[in-house]
Amino acid sequence: MTAPEPEVAAARMTAEPTDPDVDLHVPAQRRQSWRAQGPIVAVVALGGAIGASVRYGAGLLWPTASGAFPWTTLWVNVVGCAVIGAFMVLITDVWAAHRLVRPFFGTGVLGGFTTFSTYALDIQRLVDGGHPRTGLAYLAATLCAALAAVWLAATVTRRLVAGRQR
């Protein structure tokens, strides 16, 4: 692998920051940026720990045998997608949530609860274990069920909210 040309590396180092109003080379602005982002990072971490713990508990309650269809992970992902569908409607259409609610619950709790990594690992284990059809079925079923769950939950929540507002 070759190192980038010096001009390219220099251009990257002098490129505009993500937020053009904040110059992270200025110590006061760097501290201010951390103060603004620190609480968000903290609630995402806390929420992620909670969500991942609940997912881990579900795996302990309903373990999947080697080579079997991973129903627990499928249902965890489907339920998580349904909850995020309803949650997003509620915090965007119904009430103005505190600025930390969405990162805590949406990104943290539900991000920790749902699991793309376990989904991918389950598929790999099924294929490596000589069950490629089951792996393919699981791949398709999770994708379709998760998308259907988020759409259905968002649609039902919108209708329920509209009915209550009349």
Side-chain angles (χ1 to χ4, degrees), residues 70-104:
W71 288 104
T72 303
T73 305
L74 179 128
W75 285 111
V76 160
N77 286 331
V78 170
V79 167
C81 286
V83 173
I84 196 74
F87 174 70
M88 291 307 294
V89 168
L90 292 174
I91 67 166
T92 58
D93 296 358
V94 178
W95 55 282
H98 184 276
R99 72 180 190 95
L100 297 177
V101 170
R102 186 173 176 176
F104 170 74

Side-chain angles (χ1 to χ4, degrees), residues 139-161:
L139 184 145
T142 299
L143 178 64
C144 293
L147 290 172
V150 74
W151 174 82
L152 183 62
T155 301
V156 168
T157 304
R158 275 194 189 98
R159 288 188 181 165
L160 288 173
V161 167

Side-chain angles (χ1 to χ4, degrees), residues 15 30 40 44 70 88 113 115 126 129 140 153 163-164 166:
R30 191 170 43 242
I40 295 170
V44 169
M88 291 307 294
F113 180 66
T115 170
L126 287 167
R164 292 183 127 235
R166 288 183 191 175

